Amino acid sequence: QARLVESGGGLVQAGGSLRLSCATSGRNFNGYAMGWFRQAPGKEREFVARITWRGTSRGYADSVKDRFTISRDGNTVHLQMNSLKPEDTAVYYCAADPDPRLRPPVKYWGQGTQVTVSS
């Protein structure tokens, strides 16, 4: 069974950094785009960042551009988050899909990891 497992979430002060990772198992994710979405309390899940299989294309939400960096090592994807703000507080979900645009509905989701940024 295909699985995406996130790690690296936690509590950090505003201005700090965190690095999320997403490990895959259960199937071959070659050819899949991967990325991150997030969902804050009372809000809809929103796109954060994506990267194509070979890493040749990356995309970011405007709200995180220049602060977050997505990278990929085979079928493990990372999200380096710098200059964190309280509004970045959310559950962060790893996602994988054959569509390089990584648009919902996404084929595979992780279980999520909590990121909390204190002011």
Side-chain angles (χ1 to χ4, degrees):
Q1 183 176 357
R3 292 187 66 200
L4 306 178
V5 180
E6 302 96 336
S7 61
L11 173 65
V12 65
Q13 289 188 333
S17 299
L18 281 174
R19 179 178 169 87
L20 304 183
S21 295
C22 174
T24 62
S25 65
R27 67 151 292 147
N28 188 335
F29 282 88
N30 288 352
Y32 276 62
M34 296 185 68
W36 296 89
F37 290 72
R38 67 186 181 186
Q39 187 167 18
K43 295 188 177 181
E44 293 187 353
R45 191 173 298 190
E46 64 176 4
F47 166 77
V48 175
R50 61 167 175 81
I51 186 168
T52 52
W53 174 44
R54 296 188 184 276
T56 53
S57 176
R58 295 172 171 82
Y60 297 94
D62 288 342
S63 58
V64 307
K65 204 171 293 184
D66 299 326
R67 298 188 298 122
F68 291 10
T69 302
I70 190 169
S71 62
R72 184 166 183 166
D73 179 10
N75 288 325
T76 298
V77 67
H78 307 283
L79 186 68
Q80 179 66 41
M81 306 186 294
N82 298 329
S83 302
L84 283 161
K85 305 175 181 180
E87 50 264 44
D88 294 318
T89 295
V91 177
Y92 283 69
Y93 296 91
C94 181
D97 195 87
D99 186 344
R101 299 168 299 177
L102 202 65
R103 291 183 181 178
V106 168
K107 189 167 185 178
Y108 296 107
W109 289 103
Q111 82 288 350
T113 186
Q114 177 70 46
V115 171
T116 303
V117 185
S118 63
S119 57

